[in-house]
Amino acid sequence: MIPDSSADSAARPIAIIGGTGPAGTGVALRWARAGETIIIGSREAQRAEQTAKIIQQKAGPGAKVSGMENSAACAAANILVLTVPFEGQAALVKQLKPAIAPGSILIDATVPLAASVGGRASRTLGVWQGSAAQQTAELVPEKVSVVAAFHNLSADLLNGDAPLDCDVIVCSDDPEASRLARQLAAKIPGVRALDGGKLENARIVEQITALLIGLNIRHKGHAGIRITGLPPQAYR
Ligand SMILES: NC(=O)c1ccc[n+]([C@@H]2O[C@H](COP(=O)([O-])OP(=O)(O)OC[C@H]3O[C@@H](n4cnc5c(N)ncnc54)[C@H](OP(=O)(O)O)[C@@H]3O)[C@@H](O)[C@H]2O)c1
């Protein structure tokens, strides 16, 4: 069963796998400020605990942030967010598979950047399954829903204090899991979340990140995206 997004957030912690990097710490900080219970995951428990302490201090009193080794973090939560480089994604998901409970949702922010194999960060790799998120979907246990989201948010901006100016396109084959991910995205100030349809559309959303990185290099900024022309109910 998909975790209830309206339930008490303390009863449904969010585990951020690879949460010690900028993408993971950024969403962790924003959700901790919004009252969510966060578990930072790392290959090293000590690194996770240190990172959790820093986020806790930044998020302020009352924030609920802890740190654990990745598989312990998976076992302690049924909302998982994957923020690791593409080169480590498949091996890590295979390793964590036994710790992921049926009924969990896994939100994948991985972008298959060519930088993973020594190429440019403004180019992407072809993924046999179609996208990094579809690769994850092949590797998770049965009855685990995979959602692709958060690819186009700047980690630099997430780790700051100002509201963002970006839409999050959420793709999943499970409408309930997509809805939950959109509700979490909308907790980040300045972010609107959009249902981007099936998981196969993650291929397109992942590619946009490479374009944004190229724009950032060229114009020295923190590019994001806004989708216009849709009725207000589309951003729910
Ligand atoms: N940075 C951004 O602005 C941004 C925005 C949107 C999406 N993304 C995507 O989100 C993902 C994470 O981005 P990031 O910039 O935070 O990446 P990162 O700093 O390179 O890595 C994040 C964490 O992943 C773990 N990790 C590194 N290599 C690993 C491996 N081979 N196997 C398992 N774990 C490994 C590390 O944690 P431990 O060493 O503690 O285990 C690291 O702190 C990437 O796929 C990226 O494309 C990034």
Side-chain angles (χ1 to χ4, degrees):
M1 201 176 73
I2 295 300
D4 181 0
S5 59
S6 62
D8 174 12
S9 60
R12 51 161 191 92
I14 302 168
I16 306 190
I17 307 307
T20 55
T25 59
V27 287
L29 174 65
R30 298 303 181 133
W31 286 330
R33 284 181 176 154
E36 295 292 332
T37 302
I38 304 297
I39 302 170
I40 296 294
S42 166
R43 289 170 292 182
E44 296 277 342
Q46 203 183 354
R47 192 156 50 241
E49 287 159 15
Q50 283 166 353
T51 304
K53 210 173 278 177
I54 294 166
I55 297 168
Q56 170 86 45
Q57 279 163 1
K58 276 177 86 173
K64 295 165 288 211
V65 190
S66 59
M68 297 178 192
E69 183 277 323
N70 281 328
S71 52
C74 281
N78 53 13
I79 302 174
L80 314 175
V81 182
L82 188 62
T83 55
V84 294
F86 180 68
E87 66 267 28
Q89 184 209 36
L92 185 63
V93 175
K94 278 184 202 165
Q95 183 210 320
L96 297 176
K97 188 172 177 177
I100 303 176
S104 299
I105 78 163
L106 190 154
I107 304 171
D108 195 347
T110 309
V111 180
L113 296 176
S116 288
V117 293
R120 292 186 185 177
S122 54
R123 289 185 180 151
T124 52
L125 299 170
V127 184
W128 184 250
Q129 293 82 352
S131 63
Q134 287 167 286
Q135 174 170 271
T136 293
E138 275 196 4
L139 298 171
V140 293
E142 277 182 36
K143 298 188 180 145
V144 171
S145 296
V146 173
V147 178
F150 305 115
H151 308 89
N152 306 144
L153 290 181
S154 156
D156 281 353
L157 298 182
L158 278 171
N159 282 288
D161 298 321
L164 277 81
D165 181 12
C166 192
D167 289 344
V168 167
I169 300 176
V170 178
C171 304
S172 180
D173 296 333
D174 180 337
E176 281 304 300
S178 170
R179 187 177 56 83
L180 182 127
R182 298 200 306 276
Q183 286 173 344
L184 288 175
K187 292 191 173 199
I188 301 172
V191 165
R192 297 182 308 183
L194 269 165
D195 180 356
K198 288 194 168 293
L199 193 66
E200 67 182 39
N201 289 338
R203 178 178 54 84
I204 303 162
V205 183
E206 290 172 7
Q207 302 271 335
I208 292 171
T209 304
L211 177 68
L212 296 178
I213 291 170
L215 290 170
N216 289 340
I217 293 168
R218 195 167 310 118
H219 301 291
K220 304 199 183 337
H222 299 288
I225 58 162
R226 285 293 194 199
I227 305 295
T228 61
L230 298 177
Q233 60 268 28
Y235 301 95
R236 285 185 196 142

